């Protein structure tokens, strides 16, 4: 009985959403099926015979294990810029039949590109005669052609909207055969193989039909389309309807409309209004719906929604339709977005169609609500859909949750196709954007639209026209050309800019939190949104592998895990994850805060909050591809620096001596529902034991919405601190949950004395060997002398996107693992991961490749290599050598180092440790193995074997590429 009730509810919802009346036949279930490998099904009239296999719909071929085994010859959809997998001798075992491990993206159970046929018998009831009958395929991938019995109905090709066929003149009462040919190959219309609408990098180039699959019947005079244009200032909505009459005669009708809120504690309802009309063929009717003083508006804080009820009554029958909408106005004023007249700052992330269990997007509201609630829990209010558009369920869920969405036409027209040159993709992007607006245009969350991502071709002229077309056609949202990197040409007519170039952290210099992006955005007179900012990598979480219980397997991560084990570091995987993860979170925090303190910056679109499983495996999220936490930062911690209100501290540096003064300008980012009235901002500085060092508060103020709003200044002399200290400044808005904090470090300004019992040297000379032979202690500052590992670049910031996609562009290291419990760090406060005090030690320091050291050897400070290579690296290590003991550092640590307070302090801590009785390394090394690091290059040198490069690495990527 329960199953029957669910089925009835599903059919009722289908009927309401699409205006099909009460007669619906679900086509979900078993279908006959056959693969058309040689594309002979049409000429051989497969629609006239029973197909040989059985498959379930909704679903994909891969879900039913239909298609081809994965081999080295599999023809993938997507660019590969690193071909080393196919040639590297060390990876040969991953290329063997039965052990294929593709590193570029997730691996489907089966893979197939081409035509496949789906067939089902359906019984059409007698009472459907004379009615309009529609076949609804919510999302097909990609092109469909439909036959009823032996007659072809037509062809549909859309990556963004349902494929809908009018079968009224093809179906007869009784048994009918429906045959659907689905073709997922790239043909004349090429949106680009890396487009997230089709690429194996993300959802996968699947073949199938998902979502609602049904036949529906309703009266021949019907409502085809409804568009609702809110006017909140005048408390009314313009309702535009397209009415169709498929009978031969003009029909008189009456249309009644009304609206009622449905998801709020306070309800509101309009009066019903009626209009008489005559319908012959296709006619348009416009009505004005008035709201009363209790009208509810929609935004991220109060996502109040209405259902518009429309009833069309004629002498041939009655049809009804309900449409969800919100009363809201999303517009631009100067460099600022406004929601209902109030400033809004877009804190966004990308959705790249990551659905690792199925390989295709979710079509249920519950699934999207789960994703969107997670996004909102991290303090975000905006989602960009990179080169794809989600199904309707995403818009419904975003309306309920309160998120601002930017869907895109489904194209990355660069790696293959180009725009503005008369290729089929030019018209297709217009057609697809029209379909997006037709099917989802009434949803309140649909506030922005772009034509796609990072184009090539005659892009400025084409995109200017695209923006102008939509600005003139529909003012319910705002429009840009395409979302692009910083080297792409500017599209002047775009209402807002989504661009790179004004993002990132300038941590090639000493980290600070004082600068902003004002100079970068000053040339733009429209809102500027950061394009794909972040892209900071974290080491793989191999515990995630067991989550892949669906169609896709994480063979890429399995391969990386095995490489790590082969390099004798399998036991360190979780430590690498957490250490690199803390650095990743730190980088995201500081980049987000930099935008929040920049006046007139309009928003950002992170890449990303969650991992991207393709393009070489881009582990750029604090969440995994399942939108779940990895363990090193929670949503609550993330929302401290990414929220509607965020306290900010502008400081010039984070490492001090006790002869200096700590100064901070305290500021506030506020994008809340209303100004903060009489807000008191307080601050406290605590030491490592959580004891209060200093505290204070500022006088109550009122803060309007804005970025980098000044609060006050803190000045704290540090001369009371006598020992090395890690301190924490926390700033909060009293009486609220809004708080944020920053670590900083203070070191005594001690004179560096050379330890009398330790021989300090910058070369492994004869005297060093003599000292070691005699049982002495040696500190070797090997900075600038490294040969084995010289090719490995370490910056303070982690790997960008990943080294495979970007052809081993530096940095190659993603953080460091530090043996923080060692007494070597007794006078250098540190955690197990690199924090800002490590910058002058770590940034641009050489690393040692210790590939020939004993398998269980673990350095004191261990840089974490790119997971494609998993080389064993060291920055500082200790060992016994013969009768003596040594510490070797490839970072520049020594008594004569100038203007690097952390480096000086670490050297002092190591010296004191070496002088103490605690200095007793457990590992023993030969002199030869130590010397070899300075003599012999690394045995493994990376080679991508591929000449082509991503756009960002091409020197002419800024040009208007016409050829």
């Amino acid at each position: 009985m329960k199953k029957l009730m669910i089925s009835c509810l599903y059919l009722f919802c289908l009927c309401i959403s699409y205006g099909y009346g009460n007669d619906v036949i679900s086509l979900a279930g078993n279908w006959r099926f056959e693969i058309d490998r040689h594309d002979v099904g049409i000429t051989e009239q497969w629609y006239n015979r029973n197909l040989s296999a059985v498959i379930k719909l909704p679903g994909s071929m891969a879900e039913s294990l239909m298609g081809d085994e994965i081999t080295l010859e599999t023809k993938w959809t997507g660019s590969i810029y690193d071909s080393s997998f196919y040639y590297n001798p060390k990876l040969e075992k991953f290329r063997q039949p039965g052990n294929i491990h593709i590193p570029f993206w997730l691996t489907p159970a089966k893979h197939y590109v081409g035509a496949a046929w789906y067939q089902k018998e359906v019984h059409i009831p007698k009472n459907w005669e004379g009615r309009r009958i529609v076949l609804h395929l919510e999302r097909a991938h990609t092109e469909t052609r439909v036959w009823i019995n032996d007659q072809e109905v037509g062809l549909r090709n859309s990556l963004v909207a349902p494929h809908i066929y009018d079968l009224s003149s093809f179906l007869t009462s009784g048994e009918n055969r429906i045959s659907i040919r689905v073709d997922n190959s790239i043909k004349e219309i090429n949106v680009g193989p890396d487009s997230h609408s089709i690429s194996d990098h993300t959802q996968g180039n699947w073949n199938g039909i998902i979502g609602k699959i049904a036949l529906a019947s309703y009266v021949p005079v019907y409502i085809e389309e409804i568009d609702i244009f809110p006017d909140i200032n005048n408390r009314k909505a313009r309702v535009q309807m397209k009415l169709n009459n498929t009978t031969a005669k003009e029909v008189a009708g009456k249309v009644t409309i009304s609206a009622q809120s449905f998801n709020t504690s306070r309800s509101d309802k309009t009066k019903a209004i009626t209009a008489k009309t005559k319908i012959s063929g296709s006619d348009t009717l416009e009505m004005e719906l008035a709201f009363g003083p209790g009208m509810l508006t929609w935004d991220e804080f109060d996502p109040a929604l209405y259902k518009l009820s429309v009833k069309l009554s004629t002498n041939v029958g009655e049809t009804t339709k309900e449409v969800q909408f919100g009363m809201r106005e999303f517009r631009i004023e100067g460099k600022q977005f406004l929601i209902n007249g109030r400033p809004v700052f877009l804190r966004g992330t990308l959705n790249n169609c990551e659905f690792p269990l199925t390989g295709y997007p979710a079509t249920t509201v519950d699934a999207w609500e789960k994703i969107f609630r997670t996004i909102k829990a991290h303090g975000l209010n905006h989602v960009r859909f990179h080169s794809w558009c989600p199904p309707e369920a995403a818009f419904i869920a975003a309306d309920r949750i309160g998120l601002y969405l930017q869907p895109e036409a489904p194209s990355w027209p660069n790696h293959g196709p180009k725009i503005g040159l008369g290729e089929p993709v030019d018209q297709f992007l217009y057609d697809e954007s029209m379909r997006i607006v037709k099917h989802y245009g009434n949803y309140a969350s649909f506030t922005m639209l772009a034509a796609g991502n990072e184009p090539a071709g005659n892009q400025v002229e084409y995109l200017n026209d695209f923006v102008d077309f939509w600005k003139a056609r529909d003012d319910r949202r705002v429009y840009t050309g395409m979302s692009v990197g910083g080297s792409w040409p500017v599209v002047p007519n775009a209402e807002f800019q989504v661009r790179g170039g004004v993002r990132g952290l300038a941590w090639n210099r000493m980290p600070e939190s004082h600068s902003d992006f004002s100079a970068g955005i000053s040339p733009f007179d429209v809102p500027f949104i950061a394009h794909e900012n972040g892209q900071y990598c974290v080491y793989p979480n191999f515990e995630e592998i067991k989550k892949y219980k669906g169609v896709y397997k994480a063979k890429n991560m399995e391969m990386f895990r095995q490489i790590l084990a082969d390099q004798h570091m399998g036991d360190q995987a979780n430590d690498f994850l957490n250490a690199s993860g803390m650095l990743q979170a730190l980088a995201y925090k500081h980049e987000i805060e930099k935008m929040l303190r920049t006046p007139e910056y309009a928003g950002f679109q992170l890449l990303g909050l969650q991992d991207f499983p393709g393009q070489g495996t881009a582990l750029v999220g604090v969440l995994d591809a399942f939108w779940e936490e990895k363990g090193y930062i929670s949503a609550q911690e993330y929302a401290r620096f990414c929220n509607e209100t965020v306290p900010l501290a502008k400081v010039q540096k984070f490492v001090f001596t006790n002869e200096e003064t700590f100064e901070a300008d305290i500021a506030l980012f506020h994008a809340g529902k209303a100004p903060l009235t009489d807000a008191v901002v307080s601050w406290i500085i605590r030491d490592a034991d959580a004891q209060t060092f200093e505290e204070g508060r500022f006088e109550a103020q009122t803060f309007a919405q804005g970025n980098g709003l000044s609060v006050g200044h803190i000045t704290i002399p540090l001369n009371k601190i006598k020992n090395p200290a890690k301190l924490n400044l926390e700033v909060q808005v009293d009486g609220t949950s809004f708080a944020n904090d920053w670590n900083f470090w203070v070191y005594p300004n001690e004179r560096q004395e050379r330890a009398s019992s330790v021989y300090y040297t910058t070369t492994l000379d004869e005297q060093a060997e003599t000292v070691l032979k005699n049982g002495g202690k040696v500190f070797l500052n090997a900075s600038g002398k490294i040969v084995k590992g010289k090719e490995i670049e370490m910056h303070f910031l982690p790997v960008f996107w990943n080294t495979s996609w970007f052809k081993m562009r530096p940095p190659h290291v993603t953080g460091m693992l530090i043996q923080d419990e060692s007494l070597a760090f007794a006078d250098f406060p540190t955690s197990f991961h690199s924090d800002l005090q490590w910058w002058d030690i770590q940034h641009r320091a050489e690393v040692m490749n210790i590939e020939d050291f004993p398998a269980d050897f673990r350095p004191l400070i261990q840089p974490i290599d790119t997971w494609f290579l998993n080389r064993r690296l060291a920055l500082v290590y200790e060992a016994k050598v013969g009768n003596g003991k040594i510490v070797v550092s490839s970072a520049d640590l020594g008594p004569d180092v100038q203007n690097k307070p952390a480096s000086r302090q670490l050297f002092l801590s190591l010296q004191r440790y070496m002088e103490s009785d605690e200095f007793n390394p457990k590992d023993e090394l030969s002199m030869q193995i130590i010397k070899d690091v300075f003599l012999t290059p690394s045995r493994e040198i990376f080679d991508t074997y591929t000449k082509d490069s991503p756009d960002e690495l091409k020197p002419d990527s800024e040009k208007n590429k016409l050829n």
Side-chain angles (χ1 to χ4, degrees):
M1 182 66 183
K2 185 176 181 182
K3 288 183 178 179
L4 178 61
M5 290 177 64
I6 294 173
S7 176
C8 290
L9 178 61
Y10 162 79
L11 295 178
F12 174 74
C13 291
L14 180 70
C15 159
I16 291 298
S17 297
Y18 296 96
Y20 290 156
N22 295 321
D23 294 312
V24 177
I25 299 173
S26 172
L27 300 179
N30 288 336
W31 287 62
R32 291 195 295 274
F33 172 79
E34 204 162 318
I35 297 175
D36 190 358
R37 294 184 186 280
H38 305 293
D39 198 13
V40 297
I42 298 175
T43 57
E44 294 181 359
Q45 299 184 1
W46 286 14
Y47 46 83
N48 266 336
R49 66 169 175 83
N50 288 338
L51 303 180
S52 58
V54 175
I55 196 170
K56 281 197 172 183
L57 292 181
S60 70
M61 284 177 57
E63 276 185 301
S64 293
L65 300 180
M66 300 291 189
D68 301 320
E69 298 292 338
I70 307 304
T71 70
L72 297 182
E73 287 71 45
T74 297
K75 302 299 182 185
W76 300 103
T77 302
S79 300
I80 297 175
Y81 294 121
D82 169 14
S83 297
S84 59
F85 167 71
Y86 295 102
Y87 305 104
N88 189 336
K90 290 189 67 174
L91 304 181
E92 185 175 357
K93 63 182 175 182
F94 301 111
R95 301 194 292 263
Q96 299 306 308
N99 194 44
I100 300 292
H101 283 70
I102 302 298
F104 317 116
W105 39 62
L106 301 175
T107 303
K110 298 281 185 176
H111 187 271
Y112 177 74
V113 175
W117 291 69
Y118 302 79
Q119 191 178 80
K120 194 177 186 70
E121 306 294 330
V122 61
H123 181 84
I124 301 301
K126 183 77 172 173
N127 62 3
W128 278 24
E129 289 184 2
R131 295 171 67 87
R132 183 170 184 259
I133 306 173
V134 167
L135 171 65
H136 180 94
L137 310 175
E138 181 172 359
R139 185 144 295 194
H141 203 84
T142 307
E143 176 191 273
T144 60
R145 292 176 69 172
V146 172
W147 284 259
I148 299 299
N149 302 315
D150 62 354
Q151 296 183 72
E152 183 172 2
V153 179
L155 179 149
R156 301 288 183 270
N157 190 357
S158 176
L159 289 158
V160 303
H163 291 202
I164 297 174
Y165 292 86
D166 188 334
L167 306 183
S168 307
S169 60
F170 296 90
L171 290 169
T172 59
S173 58
E175 294 298 317
N176 290 263
R177 171 184 287 163
I178 300 176
S179 300
I180 305 175
R181 179 185 182 272
V182 179
D183 190 346
N184 63 327
S185 59
I186 296 176
K187 299 196 288 190
E188 292 81 8
I189 297 173
N190 182 0
V191 297
D194 295 324
S195 302
H196 297 176
S197 54
I198 66 167
S199 182
D200 284 309
H201 285 296
T202 54
Q203 61 177 302
N205 189 9
W206 52 279
N207 186 302
I209 305 168
I210 60 170
K212 305 180 184 79
I213 307 175
L215 287 175
S217 157
Y218 50 98
V219 296
V221 180
Y222 59 94
I223 308 163
E224 179 172 318
E225 191 174 340
I226 299 173
D227 286 302
I228 305 165
F229 296 86
D231 179 354
I232 63 170
N233 293 326
N234 295 302
R235 291 208 306 266
K236 64 183 181 181
R238 179 166 56 90
V239 180
Q240 199 173 74
M241 290 164 280
K242 184 177 180 182
L243 309 177
N244 278 355
N245 176 4
T246 59
T247 69
K249 298 180 180 179
E250 183 179 81
V251 173
K254 182 176 72 173
V255 177
T256 303
I257 65 172
S258 64
Q260 183 169 3
S261 63
F262 66 91
N263 68 328
T264 55
S265 57
R266 183 166 65 89
S267 64
D268 183 52
K269 185 177 182 179
T270 70
K271 293 180 179 178
I273 61 171
T274 300
K276 293 182 178 180
T277 186
K278 292 183 177 181
I279 310 163
S280 56
S282 181
D283 295 318
T284 298
L285 175 67
E286 192 169 291
M287 300 174 69
E288 193 173 273
L289 187 65
F291 290 77
M295 181 188 77
L296 305 172
T297 57
W298 181 95
D299 63 17
E300 65 189 275
F301 303 104
D302 299 303
L305 296 169
Y306 287 87
K307 282 282 177 65
L308 176 76
S309 298
V310 181
K311 182 169 68 173
L312 170 62
S313 303
T314 71
N315 60 359
V316 297
E318 182 177 281
T319 183
T320 61
K321 193 167 187 175
E322 285 192 343
V323 180
Q324 176 179 305
F325 74 103
M327 291 298 290
R328 64 102 176 116
E329 177 189 63
F330 193 86
R331 63 183 179 88
I332 290 169
E333 188 174 283
K335 294 187 177 184
Q336 200 164 52
F337 294 105
L338 300 177
I339 180 73
N340 304 332
R342 188 188 69 247
V344 58
F345 183 97
L346 296 175
R347 305 179 304 279
T349 189
L350 269 64
N351 184 288
N352 304 294
C353 203
E354 305 96 339
F355 290 90
L357 291 180
T358 61
Y360 57 70
T363 56
T364 67
V365 175
D366 286 348
W368 281 102
E369 278 200 8
K370 182 180 178 182
I371 292 171
F372 288 161
R373 289 190 189 282
T374 300
I375 288 171
K376 206 154 188 186
H378 286 77
L380 301 171
N381 63 359
H382 169 50
V383 181
R384 173 200 165 201
F385 296 91
H386 180 305
S387 61
W388 82 290
C389 177
E392 185 176 30
F395 294 91
I396 296 172
D399 272 17
R400 295 179 183 179
I401 301 297
L403 283 173
Y404 310 113
L405 303 187
Q406 179 187 310
E408 295 182 348
S411 183
W412 188 346
N414 198 325
H415 312 149
K418 299 176 183 178
I419 59 172
L421 303 180
E423 296 179 15
V425 70
D426 285 354
Q427 185 58 47
F428 187 66
L429 296 186
Y430 275 90
D431 294 341
E432 288 285 74
S433 62
M434 292 283 284
R435 285 185 275 261
I436 291 171
V437 171
K438 175 180 179 179
H439 289 276
Y440 319 125
N442 291 313
Y443 290 107
S445 53
F446 182 8
T447 54
M448 308 158 75
L449 179 65
N453 182 74
E454 296 177 348
N458 188 14
Q459 50 190 285
V460 174
E461 181 180 356
Y462 177 89
L463 294 174
N464 269 337
D465 290 344
F466 179 89
V467 170
D468 289 346
F469 171 85
W470 278 109
K471 282 159 61 175
R473 185 180 182 88
D474 194 332
D475 65 356
R476 289 177 291 179
R477 63 198 64 82
V478 294
Y479 304 94
T480 193
M482 287 196 176
S483 304
V484 297
S487 61
W488 267 257
V490 172
V491 175
N493 295 10
E495 293 186 282
F496 62 98
Q497 296 287 338
V498 180
R499 294 186 62 81
V502 190
R503 66 183 190 194
L505 294 169
W507 281 2
N508 56 321
R509 302 185 299 273
M510 183 172 60
E512 43 78 25
S513 63
H514 203 275
S515 63
D516 64 25
F517 293 112
S518 293
I521 67 171
S522 62
F524 299 94
D525 56 7
V526 297
F528 188 99
I529 300 175
H531 168 75
E532 299 179 2
N533 60 300
Q535 303 187 48
Y536 302 117
C537 279
V538 64
Y539 196 80
N541 178 15
F542 296 132
E543 290 299 309
E544 182 186 327
I545 293 172
K546 60 189 177 186
K547 294 183 181 181
Y548 290 85
K549 299 178 180 179
V551 176
Y552 280 73
K553 303 300 180 186
K555 295 289 186 179
N556 47 356
M557 297 183 75
E558 290 177 15
M559 176 179 167
F560 305 143
R561 180 176 61 182
Q562 185 58 54
I563 295 172
L564 185 71
D566 291 345
Q567 300 281 41
H568 312 294
M569 295 182 291
D571 60 318
Q572 293 189 286
N574 195 59
D575 290 337
F576 288 173
L577 164 69
N578 289 314
S580 62
M582 294 300 289
L583 177 62
Q584 178 202 45
L586 181 74
Y588 275 111
K589 167 183 166 68
H590 278 263
E591 182 164 350
I592 289 171
E593 288 178 356
K594 190 171 182 178
M595 289 178 284
L596 299 186
R597 64 178 179 262
T598 303
E600 296 189 317
Y601 213 114
F604 58 80
Q605 295 170 346
L606 293 174
L607 188 56
L609 185 62
Q610 79 290 359
D611 284 341
F612 184 99
Q615 292 188 8
T617 311
L619 305 175
V620 294
V622 299
L623 304 179
D624 62 25
F626 297 85
W627 297 87
E628 294 175 347
E629 292 178 2
K630 299 179 182 179
Y632 51 83
I633 186 171
S634 66
Q636 293 78 11
E637 291 167 324
Y638 198 96
R640 286 170 72 86
F641 57 80
C642 179
N643 212 323
E644 65 187 75
T645 304
V646 177
L648 302 167
K650 299 181 180 182
V651 299
Q652 296 287 359
K653 59 180 183 177
F654 293 91
V655 177
F656 300 83
T657 71
N658 61 355
E659 294 180 350
E660 296 181 284
T661 298
F662 175 81
E663 295 191 59
D665 290 317
I666 304 304
L668 203 65
F669 163 82
H670 179 58
K673 181 179 178 181
L676 286 173
T677 304
D678 296 326
V680 174
V681 176
S682 62
W683 59 271
I684 185 168
I685 297 176
R686 300 182 179 92
D687 63 21
D689 297 321
Q691 299 300 306
T692 299
F693 176 68
E694 295 282 355
E695 61 182 327
R697 58 180 13 93
F698 300 99
E699 292 185 3
Q701 301 176 59
T702 294
F703 298 95
Q705 293 92 343
N707 303 7
L709 305 172
S710 179
V711 176
H713 188 77
I714 297 173
T715 302
I716 306 293
L718 301 174
N719 54 8
K720 292 188 292 183
I721 298 173
K722 304 303 180 184
N723 297 310
K726 172 188 173 183
L727 300 175
N728 178 269
L729 166 66
E730 182 178 59
V731 180
Q732 68 175 16
V733 181
D734 289 358
T736 75
S737 60
F738 303 124
N740 199 5
D741 68 292
W742 303 263
N743 294 330
F744 66 99
W745 293 261
V746 182
Y747 305 131
N749 193 21
E750 300 179 61
R751 185 182 173 197
Q752 294 280 336
E753 298 286 352
R754 295 195 182 189
S756 58
S757 65
V758 177
Y759 174 61
Y760 171 86
T761 181
T762 57
T763 58
L764 200 55
D765 54 18
E766 290 184 10
Q767 186 174 350
E769 293 190 47
T770 300
V771 170
L772 292 169
K773 283 181 182 178
N774 294 332
K777 306 171 184 177
V778 172
F779 185 99
L780 173 58
N781 179 356
S783 175
K785 307 292 196 309
I786 303 303
V787 175
K788 190 182 290 291
K790 187 176 182 178
E791 73 283 359
I792 303 168
E793 283 197 41
M794 177 170 68
H795 302 177
F796 181 78
L797 285 171
V799 166
F800 178 88
W801 195 239
N802 66 75
T803 53
S804 174
W805 179 262
F806 281 110
K807 302 174 74 69
M808 207 51 65
R809 181 178 74 173
H812 307 136
V813 169
T814 186
M816 301 191 305
L817 177 63
I818 301 157
Q819 306 276 342
D820 60 310
E821 295 184 2
S822 169
L823 291 176
F825 304 105
D827 290 303
F828 188 81
T830 185
S831 185
F832 66 95
H833 58 89
S834 46
D835 207 333
L836 292 177
Q837 89 277 26
W838 282 96
W839 179 84
D840 72 39
I841 301 165
Q842 179 179 353
H843 184 65
R844 296 284 186 174
E846 286 188 324
V847 301
M848 295 173 277
N849 186 345
I850 56 172
E851 59 188 356
D852 296 317
F853 282 42
D856 60 349
F857 186 85
R858 299 291 183 256
L860 288 169
I861 306 172
Q862 184 175 5
I864 302 167
D865 193 23
T866 170
W867 52 89
F868 299 96
L869 298 177
N870 284 319
R871 293 163 292 198
R872 299 174 60 213
L873 308 178
L875 186 72
V876 176
Y877 69 81
E878 62 177 344
K880 294 176 182 175
V881 183
N883 298 319
K885 306 167 189 175
I886 193 171
V887 169
V888 180
S889 170
S890 56
D892 189 12
L893 303 178
D896 302 321
V897 173
Q898 300 296 318
N899 302 317
K900 291 184 175 183
S903 296
R904 287 169 56 87
Q905 185 64 38
L906 177 57
F907 176 70
L908 178 63
S909 185
L910 290 170
Q911 288 279 290
R912 289 175 175 171
Y913 167 63
M914 293 179 74
E915 286 187 293
S916 73
D917 294 337
E918 302 295 336
F919 181 44
N920 188 30
K922 69 179 183 67
D923 296 296
E924 186 166 347
L925 299 177
S926 69
M927 183 63 69
Q928 184 55 44
I929 203 172
I930 294 175
K931 286 183 175 180
D932 189 54
V933 174
F934 310 105
L935 301 173
T936 308
S938 302
R939 290 194 301 274
E940 182 179 2
I941 301 298
F942 182 79
D943 184 351
T944 64
Y945 296 89
T946 312
K947 292 182 180 179
D948 195 15
S949 297
D951 304 320
E952 293 86 341
L953 298 185
K954 294 174 182 174
D956 65 341
S957 63
E958 76 281 5
K959 294 180 181 177
N960 235 349
K961 294 173 274 188
L962 297 176
N963 299 315

